C-alpha cells in the first residue's frame, strides 16, 4: 500500500465514524449499546491512524533519503560525465611521456648498439692480436724445445766428458801413486845406503878415534910417564877369555887388539861393593855400569901371558889421574889370588899400590891381611890389604874409596876404572 492509498483509507474511516457519532442523540434509548461498537471501532481506527502516521512519516523519511541518493547519483553522473575528459587528458600526457621514454630508450639503444659495435671491433682486434701472439708463442715454444734438446745433448756430452775426466784422474792418480811408491822405494834404498854408509863411516871414525886414543896413550902415559886419561864410555863387547865361554865385557874406548879390558868400575855408588868372598871370586854388578869382573876370571886372563894394569881415578872436581903398572899378575884361588906383581909404576896418581904387593885378597869373611884387625870389614870392601895399606878402590862409595898418594886416604874418589891389557901385543 503506498502513501496515497493509505491516506484515502484513513479519510474514509474518519468520515464514517463522524456520521455515526452525530446520529447518537437521536437514538438515545439504548444508545449506549449502540455506541460501544462504534467507540471500539474508533479506538482501533485511532491506533491504525497512529500507525499510519508513523508509516507515513517513515515513508516521508524514505522519500527524503531517496532524494539525497538521487542527488548524489546525479552528482556522480556529472562527475562521470566529466571524467572521460580528465582520463583523456591524462592519457594524452601519458602518451607523450611514453613517447619521450621510447625516444630516450631508442637513443640509448642506438648508443648501446654503437658501443657494442665498437666493443665487437675491439674484441675482433684483440682476437687477431691473440692469434698472432699465440703463433709467436708457439714459435718460441718450438725454439725452446730445440734449445732444450740442444741443452740435453750438451749435458750428455758434459756427462761423458766428466766420466772421462774421472777415469783419467783415476788413471793419473794410480800412475802418480805408482811413481810416488817407486820414488819412495828408491828414496828408501838411497836412505838405507846412506845410513849404512853413515854407519860405516861412524865405525871407521870410531876405529880411527880408538887408534888415535891408543896412539895418544902410548905416546904419553905409557912412554912419557904422564897420563892420557880415558873417556867415560861404558861400551860392552862379547869377548872370549882363555878357558872360559865368550862373555860380555867392557872394553872402554880401546877395543881393537891390543885393547884395554875393564875389570872394575865405580861411577855412582849404585852397586854394593861390600861383598863376601864368593862374590869377589865370581864377580858382580852390571858390566855396563858398576861391576867387578871377578878374581877367577882375572886370574885366568892374566896367567897365560904378561899383562899391564891401568888405573884411572877421578875426584869430585872432575880431575883425572892415572897409575900405570907394566906387569900385573895374581895367584890362583889356592893362593887367595895373591898380588904377585905389579911391575914398574908410571903415571900421575902416585904409587899407592906398592904396599899391596905379595898380599892375599881379603873380604870381610876372608881375613887374609897382615894386620891384626879385619881390614876388609873396616874399609867395607875386598882388596889386597896389607896393614890395611894406602889404597882401597873397592871401598864403600862416597866413604872409603881412596888412593892416598893422590888425594889422601880420607878423600873418597868419585870414579875409578881398572883395566888390563896383554903386554906383548903392542910392543
Ligand atoms: Ca887381619
Amino acid at each position: 500500500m503506498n502513501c496515497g492509498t493509505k491516506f484515502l483509507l484513513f479519510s474514509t474511516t474518519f468520515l464514517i465514524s463522524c456520521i455515526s457519532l452525530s446520529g447518537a442523540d437521536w437514538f438515545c434509548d439504548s444508545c449506549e449499546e449502540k455506541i460501544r461498537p462504534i467507540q471500539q471501532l474508533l479506538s482501533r481506527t485511532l491506533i491504525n491512524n497512529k500507525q499510519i502516521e508513523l508509516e507515513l512519516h517513515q515513508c516521508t523519511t524514505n522519500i527524503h533519503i531517496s532524494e539525497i541518493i538521487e542527488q548524489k547519483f546525479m552528482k556522480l553522473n556529472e562527475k562521470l560525465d566529466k571524467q572521460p575528459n580528465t582520463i583523456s587528458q591524462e592519457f594524452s600526457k601519458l602518451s607523450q611521456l611514453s613517447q619521450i621514454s621510447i625516444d630516450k630508450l631508442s637513443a640509448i639503444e642506438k648508443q648501446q648498439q654503437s658501443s657494442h659495435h665498437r666493443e665487437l671491433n675491439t674484441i675482433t682486434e684483440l682476437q687477431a692480436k691473440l692469434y698472432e701472439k699465440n703463433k709467436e708463442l708457439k714459435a718460441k715454444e718450438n725454439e725452446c724445445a730445440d734449445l732444450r734438446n740442444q741443452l740435453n745433448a750438451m749435458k750428455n756430452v758434459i756427462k761423458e766428458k766428466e766420466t772421462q775426466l774421472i777415469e783419467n784422474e783415476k788413471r793419473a792418480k794410480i800412475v802418480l801413486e805408482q811413481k810416488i811408491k817407486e820414488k819412495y822405494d828408491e828414496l828408501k834404498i838411497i836412505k838405507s845406503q846412506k845410513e849404512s854408509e853413515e854407519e860405516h863411516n861412524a865405525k871407521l871414525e870410531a876405529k880411527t878415534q880408538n887408534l888415535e886414543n891408543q896412539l895418544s896413550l902410548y905416546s904419553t902415559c905409557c912412554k912419557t910417564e904422564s897420563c892420557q886419561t880415558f873417556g867415560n864410555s861404558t861400551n860392552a863387547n862379547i869377548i872370549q877369555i882363555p878357558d872360559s865361554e865368550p862373555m860380555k865385557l867392557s872394553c872402554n874406548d880401546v877395543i881393537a887388539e891390543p885393547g884395554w879390558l875393564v875389570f872394575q868400575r865405580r861411577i855412582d855408588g849404585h852397586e854394593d861393593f861390600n861383598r863376601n868372598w864368593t862374590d869377589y871370586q865370581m864377580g858382580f854388578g852390571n858390566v855396563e855400569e858398576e861391576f867387578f869382573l871377578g878374581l877367577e876370571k882375572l886370574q885366568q886372563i892374566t896367567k897365560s901371558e904378561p899383562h899391564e894394569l891401568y888405573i884411572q881415578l877421578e875426584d869430585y872436581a872432575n880431575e883425572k889421574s892415572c897409575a900405570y903398572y907394566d906387569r900385573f899378575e895374581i895367584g890362583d884361588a889356592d893362593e887367595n889370588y895373591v898380588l904377585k906383581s905389579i911391575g914398574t909404576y908410571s903415571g900421575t896418581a902416585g904409587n899407592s899400590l906398592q904396599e899391596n904387593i905379595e898380599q892375599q885378597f881379603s873380604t870381610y869373611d876372608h881375613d887374609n891381611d897382615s894386620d891384626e884387625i879385619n881390614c876388609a870389614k873396616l874399609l867395607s870392601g875386598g882388596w889386597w890389604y896389607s896393614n890395611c895399606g894406602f889404597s882401597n878402590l873397592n871401598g864403600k862409595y862416597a866413604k872409603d874409596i881412596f888412593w892416598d898418594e893422590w888425594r889422601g886416604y880420607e878423600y873418597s874418589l868419585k870414579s875409578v876404572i881398572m883395566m888390563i891389557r896383554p903386554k906383548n901385543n903392542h910392543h
Side-chain angles (χ1 to χ4, degrees):
M1 191 189 299
N2 61 25
C3 285
T5 319
K6 277 180 181 176
F7 184 71
L8 195 62
L9 186 64
F10 169 74
S11 305
T12 315
T13 314
F14 182 75
L15 197 57
I16 298 161
S17 301
C18 287
I19 296 162
S20 310
L21 280 167
S22 53
D25 289 341
W26 298 341
F27 310 102
C28 291
D29 300 358
S30 67
C31 237
E32 274 184 26
E33 286 180 13
K34 285 179 182 176
I35 291 168
R36 205 167 285 143
I38 296 163
Q39 280 178 329
Q40 283 174 343
L41 183 63
L42 189 61
S43 173
R44 274 198 308 268
T45 307
L46 277 171
I47 290 165
N48 279 338
N49 279 349
K50 257 201 178 158
Q51 205 170 350
I52 288 161
E53 257 177 55
L54 270 170
E55 279 178 7
L56 189 67
H57 179 69
Q58 205 167 356
C59 198
T60 315
T61 310
N62 282 344
I63 287 163
H64 187 63
I65 285 166
S66 69
E67 276 172 358
I68 290 166
I69 287 167
E70 204 172 328
Q71 280 173 359
K72 279 194 178 177
F73 183 72
M74 286 292 281
K75 276 180 185 172
L76 271 171
N77 265 345
E78 275 174 21
K79 267 189 184 176
L80 273 170
D81 285 344
K82 282 175 189 171
Q83 258 177 353
N85 281 336
T86 320
I87 286 166
S88 175
Q89 281 169 2
E90 293 285 324
F91 183 72
S92 170
K93 274 181 190 170
L94 276 170
S95 286
Q96 279 173 3
L97 280 171
S98 158
Q99 190 56 46
I100 291 161
S101 292
I102 285 165
D103 290 348
K104 275 184 182 171
L105 272 170
S106 175
I108 287 165
E109 203 176 353
K110 269 182 186 170
Q111 220 173 340
Q112 273 181 348
Q113 268 176 355
S114 122
S115 161
H116 184 63
H117 186 66
R118 277 203 303 275
E119 276 170 6
L120 268 176
N121 282 341
T122 314
I123 285 166
T124 311
E125 275 169 25
L126 284 171
Q127 272 175 342
K129 276 182 187 171
L130 193 66
Y131 179 71
E132 284 299 317
K133 288 284 167 194
N134 271 338
K135 250 165 97 177
E136 275 175 33
L137 196 67
K138 209 155 193 179
K140 290 278 174 197
E141 269 177 7
N142 288 336
E143 225 173 292
C144 265
D146 283 347
L147 284 171
R148 216 172 285 139
N149 287 338
Q150 279 176 18
L151 193 70
N152 281 337
M154 297 268 265
K155 268 183 188 170
N156 286 335
V157 171
I158 287 168
K159 212 169 184 177
E160 274 171 28
K161 292 275 173 199
E162 271 177 356
T163 315
Q164 224 171 329
L165 201 69
I166 288 165
E167 283 295 317
N168 285 346
E169 266 178 15
K170 271 184 191 167
R171 245 177 270 144
K173 203 181 168 188
I174 288 164
V175 170
L176 196 68
E177 274 175 356
Q178 271 177 349
K179 274 186 184 170
I180 286 170
K181 199 171 178 290
E182 278 167 19
K183 287 283 165 196
Y184 181 73
D185 289 344
E186 272 175 35
L187 209 67
K188 226 173 168 180
I189 289 162
I190 289 166
K191 202 182 167 190
S192 88
Q193 276 174 353
K194 205 183 164 192
E195 271 172 6
S196 65
E197 262 174 36
E198 274 173 4
E199 210 175 307
H200 186 64
N201 285 345
K203 272 182 188 169
L204 277 176
E205 217 170 281
K207 272 186 184 171
T208 311
Q209 188 64 44
N210 287 344
L211 286 169
E212 273 173 12
N213 286 345
Q214 261 180 277
L215 204 65
S216 170
L217 184 71
Y218 296 145
S219 63
T220 55
C221 191
C222 302
K223 293 186 176 170
T224 64
E225 298 190 357
S226 66
C227 187
Q228 177 68 42
T229 55
F230 294 99
N232 284 326
S233 168
T234 55
N235 290 342
N237 296 78
I238 305 298
I239 287 179
Q240 170 86 59
I241 57 173
D243 302 325
S244 178
E245 291 295 310
M247 65 177 83
K248 207 177 181 187
L249 290 173
S250 180
C251 299
N252 198 274
D253 293 330
V254 189
I255 298 159
E257 273 293 324
W260 290 101
L261 175 72
V262 180
F263 71 88
Q264 187 260 31
R265 186 187 293 119
R266 312 295 299 276
I267 42 176
D268 55 10
H270 185 75
E271 195 65 51
D272 181 17
F273 273 66
N274 191 14
R275 304 265 189 159
N276 63 23
W277 183 254
T278 315
D279 282 351
Y280 270 99
Q281 258 193 310
M282 305 314 293
F284 55 84
N286 183 345
V287 78
E288 290 175 341
E289 294 171 7
E290 292 193 319
F291 77 103
F292 183 75
L293 180 66
L295 292 164
E296 196 56 36
K297 286 188 194 102
L298 199 58
Q299 199 271 330
Q300 277 173 14
I301 292 166
T302 55
K303 76 176 179 186
S304 55
E305 58 176 316
H307 274 68
E308 50 194 357
L309 171 67
Y310 191 104
I311 297 168
Q312 179 183 279
L313 309 172
E314 186 182 3
D315 65 10
Y316 283 96
N318 299 325
E319 272 189 50
K320 287 173 183 170
S321 66
C322 72
Y324 170 74
Y325 297 93
D326 68 356
R327 188 176 179 97
F328 174 69
E329 194 185 344
I330 59 169
D332 61 17
D334 292 339
E335 299 165 299
N336 289 327
Y337 308 104
V338 63
L339 184 61
K340 282 184 174 173
S341 167
I342 51 173
T344 307
Y345 161 82
S346 63
T348 56
N351 185 6
S352 291
L353 204 59
Q354 190 61 39
E355 288 286 315
N356 304 84
I357 300 170
E358 292 180 3
Q359 294 300 320
Q360 293 177 7
F361 202 84
S362 289
T363 56
Y364 65 81
D365 57 345
H366 268 64
D367 182 0
N368 300 318
D369 61 39
S370 50
D371 203 297
E372 288 178 359
I373 60 160
N374 185 332
C375 292
K377 210 174 232 178
L378 177 74
L379 298 172
S380 61
W383 198 244
W384 296 275
Y385 296 113
S386 53
N387 291 320
C388 291
F390 300 99
S391 61
N392 187 35
L393 299 184
N394 287 334
K396 189 177 168 69
Y397 193 84
K399 185 172 179 284
D400 286 322
I401 305 173
F402 60 85
W403 190 267
D404 187 55
E405 288 282 317
W406 191 43
R407 292 285 181 256
Y409 67 89
E410 286 180 323
Y411 187 98
S412 190
L413 298 165
K414 185 183 155 193
S415 75
V416 177
I417 298 173
M418 297 177 79
M419 305 182 290
I420 48 169
R421 182 170 68 167
K423 194 173 169 63
N424 295 324
N425 284 0
H426 55 91
H427 282 291

